[in-house]
Amino acid sequence: VQLQASGGGLVQAGGSLRLSCVAPRTIFSEFITYVMAWYRQAPGKQRELVASITRDGIRNYGDFVKDRFTISRDNSRKTVRLQMTGLKPDDTAVYYCNAERGTTAFWGQGTQVTVSS
């Protein structure tokens, strides 16, 4: 059971991308109870939190985001999005969607984001 992520690609530095992620049907009815998040992992580095959002819209961002990214969720469509602007080469990574509630977590397959200089 995986979340379905999309929207990655190749973009020049300073550009924008929007990532989207749809929850698996098995959690549709309880989607609102999950904290939704995006993580990323660059080659040779640990996976790190990019952004998260609770059912009430409380957002948390990694320090490196610095007002460049915005996470949002649409509970009616069981979707979470990550709008990324001002992309830098250091943002190059595989981005993973995550749904978490207590000790239960689901992950997406990852979508590649590559930022050229």
Side-chain angles (χ1 to χ4, degrees), residues 46-78:
Q46 290 189 332
R47 191 171 295 190
E48 60 183 350
L49 176 69
V50 178
S52 65
I53 184 168
T54 69
R55 60 185 295 173
D56 298 319
I58 298 172
R59 297 169 172 84
N60 183 42
Y61 293 97
D63 290 341
F64 56 86
V65 170
K66 298 187 186 301
D67 299 324
R68 299 182 296 129
F69 299 173
T70 302
I71 189 170
S72 61
R73 66 188 293 163
D74 184 336
N75 292 325
S76 63
R77 290 185 167 84
K78 323 305 181 189

Side-chain angles (χ1 to χ4, degrees), residues 34-107:
Y34 282 79
V35 175
M36 301 301 296
W38 289 94
Y39 287 77
R40 71 183 189 184
Q41 188 166 19
K45 295 187 177 181
Q46 290 189 332
R47 191 171 295 190
E48 60 183 350
L49 176 69
V50 178
S52 65
I53 184 168
T54 69
R55 60 185 295 173
D56 298 319
I58 298 172
R59 297 169 172 84
N60 183 42
Y61 293 97
D63 290 341
F64 56 86
V65 170
K66 298 187 186 301
D67 299 324
R68 299 182 296 129
F69 299 173
T70 302
I71 189 170
S72 61
R73 66 188 293 163
D74 184 336
N75 292 325
S76 63
R77 290 185 167 84
K78 323 305 181 189
T79 300
V80 62
R81 296 186 176 91
L82 184 68
Q83 179 67 48
M84 302 187 292
T85 63
L87 284 162
K88 307 174 182 178
D90 285 349
D91 294 318
T92 295
V94 178
Y95 284 69
Y96 296 92
C97 180
N98 167 269
E100 189 168 319
R101 184 184 68 182
T103 59
T104 300
F106 297 95
W107 291 91

